[in-house]
Amino acid sequence: MLMRHGCSWLSAVACAAALLGVGCGHGGGAAPAQPVTNTATSNVSFKMTAGSAPNCSMDLRWEWTPVTLTPGPGRSSAVSVPSSGFTAMEVSATSNGCFFSTFSLERLAPGTWRIALQTPQGPLAACIVNLKPGPNYNGFRQGVSTCTQSTGVGFVYP
């Protein structure tokens, strides 16, 4: 019997899956964990005025606190990123300002969450949002104590 990568020729589909990292299904290794469906991904961004500086830098911490969640899969407890302290970030300035928008938190339970942005000097902004299953986008802006939740893909700033 013809063999390729440890799978029989008759299971060519399983072999193709194995080459993609899924496994042959007969002792060839465990299949990778499948994504949890019906969970929310929270994408957050903070926009600040650049002034004349070529770069902007801040120490930030994002915090998610559940308010009212839909029963089902996903994280249902508070989370901070980083879990303690702050992340020092530096980004290049653009003609529209500086955008600190490289953070996504996946696998949250859908429902109402409070998202807060903290600095070492204290709270910067917070808002209550309804996170639906799939991607969600919440934009924060310097000098505004709340956020704007986008109804589509991408960020909208208050």
Side-chain angles (χ1 to χ4, degrees), residues 47-57 91-100 142:
K47 176 183 177 180
M48 69 182 282
T49 306
S52 60
N55 295 315
C56 299
S57 60
V91 297
S92 297
T94 70
S95 60
N96 292 326
C98 292
F99 297 89
F100 296 87
Q142 179 182 14

Side-chain angles (χ1 to χ4, degrees), residues 38-42 64-79 105-115 127-133 136:
N38 297 324
T39 62
T41 298
S42 178
W64 285 261
T65 306
V67 177
T68 307
L69 303 179
T70 304
R75 175 190 288 270
S76 59
S77 58
V79 62
L105 184 61
E106 299 177 330
R107 296 183 178 205
L108 293 171
T112 305
W113 288 81
R114 179 181 185 273
I115 303 174
C127 60
I128 305 291
V129 297
N130 183 34
L131 298 180
K132 64 188 183 319
N136 296 268

